[in-house]
Amino acid sequence: MPTTTREFHLVARPQGEPAPTDFALVERTLPDPEPGELLIRNLVISVDPYMRGKMSGVRTYTDPYELNAPMDGGAVGVVEASADPDVPVGTTVLHNAGWRSHAVVPAAHTRPVNTREPLGPSVYLGALGMPGQTAYVGLLHKAEMRRDDTVFVSGAAGAVGGVVGQLARLHGARRVVGSAGSPEKVAYLLDELGFDAAFDYRAGPVRKQLAEAAPEGIDVYFDNVGGEHLEAAIACANDFARFAVCGAISGYNATEPPYAPRNLFQIVTKRLTLRGFIVGDDPQLTGDFYRDVAPAVAEGRIRVRETVVEGLENAPEAFVSMLRGGNVGKMVVRVSH
Amino acid sequence: MPTTTREFHLVARPQGEPAPTDFALVERTLPDPEPGELLIRNLVISVDPYMRGKMSGVRTYTDPYELNAPMDGGAVGVVEASADPDVPVGTTVLHNAGWRSHAVVPAAHTRPVNTREPLGPSVYLGALGMPGQTAYVGLLHKAEMRRDDTVFVSGAAGAVGGVVGQLARLHGARRVVGSAGSPEKVAYLLDELGFDAAFDYRAGPVRKQLAEAAPEGIDVYFDNVGGEHLEAAIACANDFARFAVCGAISGYNATEPPYAPRNLFQIVTKRLTLRGFIVGDDPQLTGDFYRDVAPAVAEGRIRVRETVVEGLENAPEAFVSMLRGGNVGKMVVRVSH
């Protein structure tokens, strides 16, 4: 029962914004699953900001993508053939063999997901997946958000930021402030996600807009953007504010050195704590995350929106669009139905 | 029994490096102590980097110095007249009415010090005073230094840095690395204070010298300097390194915006924690500090050196010299014997 897969290989290291020629869609025949393995047909695959780092070829907390090999990434698929007696054909599983139509994966590297959720399987790539857990861990465990904090999150209309803001509200924030890259996204934050204030960071200086949106200062900053946003958050921070530093998407495609905040001495005078983190470092929090967030998503207390691109062949464009801010909520690519 | 004091007033806000004309030495007659007050003759007074911030007129964690009023600051003096039955004449006390020869101070704002120490009263302005406690709190409680950490401290020949390095050694650091501003200071760190490696930051790029001095990376950074030093420490940090951010003396006299590190995204990829702090926020640690550090100083396991300037009238020059790095160890001004 050999199966053909189509899979994206990285064939060149992007300089600046990734170009279509950095990727190649390759067809090859998959072997039958060995004992303990599953053949999976992907339904949806994920494009995430962290993947840009893996394309650059530099080892950080994760290995870079190899050239001329399939890229990995989050995916949800259906088991089409199983050589593991515990995983029947037809099971829907979350796994990490994304950027392709089919894959043979050890069952131990997969996790069955609940297909009775009111939301589709892609929710496990967003609010109930890595981005949602990133929001949960960063806000509650790294920034140690407390009731009555004023919370600011940048990139608030993205997969992580939207969950951060809604979790902050559910955990008793005094005020939730978000930044996003268009008036439509600002309206989404205010009207759909219940932010108390939001601004379009392209419409004027971040520092000035943040000071107006949080006139009493901020106690927590969840940073997805870096650069000018980080400088503005330091400027508007209250004493003892805590920053969860999650990403710096403003610099991911940069070929010049990034914008550098000039006010770092306020880390001392305001006694700020900046804590960088990676969600994978705290697997022991996964249980807490599901217990807290899954019911909130199922009951609509955390609202979820997705930007869905149809067709595996469009995954590179979806990825580049996401880095430009072309998504509202989680950006996913639908590979099959 | 009226007494004349000589006291320094700030008469102009310094622009860049403070000038002699920013200060005025004023003579005035002190009143007799009211009930609960002490008349103190100062022996030694302190000049500290944080005072530069108080001269600038901007409120941060502390009020700025007022113009045309005496400046405060650490001092040790002898009680010459007492209107508090619990404090006999002749007691040596630590207090905050520095920058002057005599002062009338509420006894409740003073603390008797042990004059049987092998070191003189000025040790309470240095290793057993605010700078020593800053070192202790920052290294052990903010950076949470652990046995086998490699510890880097900038400004290591100063009042705080020298204690940081020696405390790190006493607490089982794998390797203690310091930077300082001259070959003589580097020799002092290596030969007298027992640092494992040290370099002269004026002799070449900090990042390159730090990478050579700590080839296996650093786990803790105690930052007294900021700017290029902070960038270098981020570059050389190991995963999960912790930074106690205490000061940024490189920028205190700056009239231009300070050097801005370009590599802040490594806060995420290396999961760094940067924690700004002020020693006064943790008064509950004072007892631990004395229990840990006082015996080490008394027994010579923590070595103390001072740069003593003679004469109250030379206090502004001492202050400016300290900001330029003209001191080895704590800079103090002797006011009387």
Side-chain angles (χ1 to χ4, degrees):
Chain A
M1 194 195 58
T3 300
T4 298
T5 185
R6 295 182 304 145
E7 58 190 25
F8 270 105
H9 293 195
L10 187 70
V11 295
R13 304 260 174 231
Q15 304 296 315
E17 182 169 276
T21 49
D22 296 331
F23 307 94
L25 188 55
V26 175
E27 259 194 38
R28 71 182 175 97
T29 302
L30 289 175
D32 287 342
E34 302 276 335
E37 290 184 335
L38 311 172
L39 169 66
I40 299 167
R41 170 174 55 84
N42 279 334
L43 299 169
V44 280
I45 64 171
S46 188
V47 289
D48 295 291
Y50 78 86
M51 294 170 172
R52 181 64 185 82
K54 287 173 73 82
M55 292 175 187
S56 71
V58 179
R59 157 104 200 142
T60 58
Y61 59 91
T62 174
D63 288 324
Y65 290 135
E66 287 178 40
L67 288 179
N68 304 306
M71 294 184 287
D72 54 21
V76 177
V78 175
V79 175
E80 296 215 315
S82 174
D84 184 311
D86 292 337
V87 186
V89 167
T91 307
T92 303
V93 294
L94 174 68
H95 62 99
N96 206 42
W99 288 93
R100 70 199 86 179
S101 67
H102 297 74
V104 173
V105 178
H109 296 179
T110 71
R111 194 163 61 74
V113 296
N114 174 9
T115 52
R116 292 165 311 185
E117 290 287 348
L119 299 154
S122 54
V123 75
Y124 291 100
L125 303 179
L128 295 186
M130 183 274 289
Q133 190 164 346
T134 299
Y136 179 86
V137 170
L139 180 70
L140 302 177
H141 291 270
K142 303 303 175 182
E144 301 177 74
M145 184 222 145
R146 297 184 287 252
R147 181 166 293 277
D148 286 333
D149 279 344
T150 291
V151 175
F152 172 49
V153 54
S154 55
V160 174
V163 179
V164 170
Q166 295 182 88
L167 271 177
R169 181 171 43 71
L170 292 175
H171 281 80
R174 175 186 304 274
R175 186 172 179 81
V176 180
V177 178
S179 72
S182 73
E184 294 72 25
K185 289 181 179 178
V186 168
Y188 163 67
L189 297 179
L190 295 172
D191 301 340
E192 286 194 42
L193 301 193
F195 280 61
D196 297 295
F199 60 88
D200 174 2
Y201 65 83
R202 300 186 210 253
V206 177
R207 179 178 170 167
K208 181 167 175 290
Q209 294 194 85
L210 177 56
E212 289 166 1
E216 296 182 358
I218 64 172
D219 305 301
V220 162
Y221 175 45
F222 192 108
D223 191 11
N224 291 308
V225 173
E228 188 190 351
H229 269 84
L230 178 57
E231 185 174 72
I234 291 171
C236 295
N238 293 328
D239 285 354
F240 304 105
R242 291 138 278 132
F243 289 17
V245 188
C246 174
I249 198 168
S250 65
Y252 288 176
N253 278 333
T255 52
E256 302 291 315
Y259 186 99
R262 295 276 174 184
N263 58 356
L264 293 183
F265 182 55
Q266 293 185 32
I267 293 175
V268 182
T269 56
K270 295 180 172 178
R271 292 86 111 195
L272 307 182
T273 297
L274 278 64
R275 187 171 282 144
F277 75 103
I278 299 295
V279 66
D281 290 332
D282 296 287
Q284 79 286 1
L285 296 175
T286 303
D288 290 346
F289 159 64
Y290 277 110
R291 269 190 296 280
D292 194 353
V293 176
V297 169
E299 296 159 16
R301 286 179 287 123
I302 291 180
R303 301 179 73 167
V304 170
R305 212 206 270 193
E306 293 172 341
T307 301
V308 182
V309 169
E310 295 289 339
L312 174 65
E313 64 279 9
N314 295 315
E317 287 78 1
F319 176 68
V320 169
S321 169
M322 179 273 301
L323 288 178
R324 285 184 191 164
N327 55 308
V328 176
K330 178 73 185 106
M331 175 77 99
V332 297
V333 179
R334 182 151 24 230
V335 175
S336 70
H337 286 270
Chain B
M1 194 194 61
T3 300
T4 298
T5 186
R6 295 183 303 147
E7 59 189 25
F8 270 105
H9 293 195
L10 187 70
V11 296
R13 304 260 174 232
Q15 304 295 315
E17 183 170 275
T21 50
D22 296 330
F23 306 93
L25 188 55
V26 174
E27 258 194 39
R28 71 180 175 98
T29 303
L30 289 175
D32 286 342
E34 302 275 334
E37 291 185 334
L38 310 172
L39 169 66
I40 300 167
R41 171 173 55 85
N42 279 333
L43 299 169
V44 281
I45 64 172
S46 188
V47 289
D48 295 292
Y50 78 85
M51 294 171 173
R52 182 64 185 82
K54 287 172 74 78
M55 292 174 189
S56 71
V58 179
R59 158 102 202 144
T60 57
Y61 58 91
T62 174
D63 288 323
Y65 289 134
E66 287 178 40
L67 288 180
N68 304 304
M71 294 184 287
D72 53 21
V76 177
V78 177
V79 175
E80 297 216 316
S82 174
D84 184 312
D86 292 338
V87 186
V89 166
T91 307
T92 303
V93 295
L94 175 68
H95 63 100
N96 206 42
W99 289 92
R100 70 198 87 178
S101 67
H102 297 74
V104 173
V105 177
H109 297 179
T110 71
R111 193 163 62 75
V113 297
N114 174 9
T115 52
R116 292 165 312 186
E117 291 287 349
L119 298 155
S122 54
V123 74
Y124 291 99
L125 303 178
L128 295 187
M130 181 274 289
Q133 190 164 346
T134 299
Y136 179 86
V137 169
L139 180 70
L140 301 177
H141 291 270
K142 304 302 173 181
E144 300 177 74
M145 183 221 147
R146 297 184 286 252
R147 183 166 290 278
D148 287 332
D149 279 344
T150 291
V151 175
F152 172 50
V153 54
S154 55
V160 174
V163 178
V164 170
Q166 296 181 87
L167 271 178
R169 181 171 44 72
L170 292 175
H171 281 81
R174 175 185 303 274
R175 187 171 180 81
V176 181
V177 178
S179 72
S182 73
E184 294 72 25
K185 289 182 179 178
V186 167
Y188 163 68
L189 296 178
L190 295 172
D191 301 340
E192 286 193 43
L193 301 193
F195 279 62
D196 298 295
F199 61 87
D200 174 2
Y201 65 82
R202 301 186 208 254
V206 177
R207 178 177 171 166
K208 180 167 175 291
Q209 295 194 84
L210 177 57
E212 289 166 2
E216 297 181 358
I218 63 172
D219 305 301
V220 163
Y221 175 44
F222 192 108
D223 190 10
N224 291 309
V225 173
E228 187 189 352
H229 270 86
L230 178 56
E231 184 173 75
I234 291 171
C236 295
N238 292 328
D239 285 354
F240 304 104
R242 290 139 279 134
F243 289 18
V245 188
C246 174
I249 197 167
S250 65
Y252 288 177
N253 278 334
T255 51
E256 302 291 315
Y259 186 99
R262 296 276 174 185
N263 58 355
L264 294 183
F265 183 55
Q266 293 185 31
I267 293 175
V268 181
T269 57
K270 295 180 172 179
R271 291 86 111 196
L272 307 182
T273 297
L274 279 62
R275 186 172 282 145
F277 75 104
I278 299 294
V279 66
D281 289 333
D282 296 287
Q284 79 286 2
L285 296 174
T286 303
D288 291 347
F289 159 63
Y290 278 109
R291 269 190 295 281
D292 194 351
V293 176
V297 169
E299 295 158 17
R301 287 178 286 121
I302 290 180
R303 300 179 73 168
V304 170
R305 212 206 270 194
E306 294 172 343
T307 300
V308 181
V309 169
E310 294 289 340
L312 174 65
E313 63 279 9
N314 295 316
E317 288 77 0
F319 176 68
V320 170
S321 169
M322 179 273 302
L323 288 178
R324 284 185 192 162
N327 55 308
V328 177
K330 179 72 186 105
M331 176 78 97
V332 296
V333 178
R334 183 154 22 231
V335 174
S336 70
H337 287 271

